[in-house]
Amino acid sequence: MSARILDGNALSAQLRGRLADDAAALAARGVQPCLAVILVGGDPASSVYVRNKVAACEKAGIKSLRFDYPQDADPASVLERIAALNADPAVHGILVQLPLPRQFNEKAVLEAIAVGKDVDGFHAENVGRLSQGQEAFFPCTPHGVMKMLESAGIAVKGADAVVIGRSNIVGKPMAVLLTNAGATVTVCHSQTRDLAAHTRRADIVIAAVGRPRFVTGDMVKPGAAVIDVGINRIQDGPEAGKLCGDVDFASVSAVAGAISPVPGGVGPMTITMLLANTIEAARRVADKR
Ligand code: GUN
């Protein structure tokens, strides 16, 4: 069997076209959607992500403000910036790129962001609202995965889903979104005893471990949908420097029914959902006026 490819670029292009229309409609109502992005330090991967986020905003007609701080920045100065952005009615979304340098208390920074501007969905109140099935900003990567499954017509209700990884950014909110949508969810992680025993009976596997080509064809049930959240750079050997996911595409695509590639799968969907959340935040402001 050769798996159907879940093309995140194509789906993103389609969704972003609609989001650009929404942004233009809000601007015509006098509310220009605006996202503030804070980057601390020069981590190369974070710099690329932030550049891509800002570029995607501009293309969709969302204004972006970018604030760069050095690696040794004083956390107080970033917290002051967040307070000013919280108070600025022209700013609808605030994103602090993670990870932050060691001197930062990540939780304190995320909780400093106004809940209504937390377009990453990382504030404890948004996390709590999500877990209770209330309206909330959903974290962008797992939300993008849900959109991919939905658009591909992959049934979530009643499905057995395995999420590999338990991070606050992907694994945990992914498990909640799948649960809320009616899946039976198992969360696996580094302490899981027999990972393959879990993945082999899953209809949906979400790989968010951060280990190159970790999920192999022998770990996947024939016909399953496999979503690859990983973005790893191969360190050595003939492929050094190349990007790959957490899924071994060659062996898994021969067994699975559907698979998301890396690059061109979940990555663009994460940014698309960030645009969607920013427009939603701006819409709430426009509707209140
Ligand atoms: N670092 C890795 N993924 C993300 C994300 O979705 N948002 C932010 N702010 N930082 C990240």
Side-chain angles (χ1 to χ4, degrees), residues 46 49 53 95-99 110 120 122 140-141 169-170 270:
S46 290
Y49 295 147
K53 288 172 184 179
L95 177 152
V96 178
Q97 187 65 27
L98 302 177
L110 297 177
D120 253 331
F122 294 162
C140 302
T141 299
I169 293 181
V170 183
T270 294

Side-chain angles (χ1 to χ4, degrees), residues 63-89:
K63 183 177 172 189
S64 63
L65 305 171
R66 181 172 165 166
F67 302 94
D68 284 86
Y69 291 83
Q71 185 73 20
D72 63 355
D74 180 355
S77 63
V78 173
L79 289 169
E80 269 169 38
R81 172 67 66 192
I82 292 172
L85 294 167
N86 283 342
D88 185 344

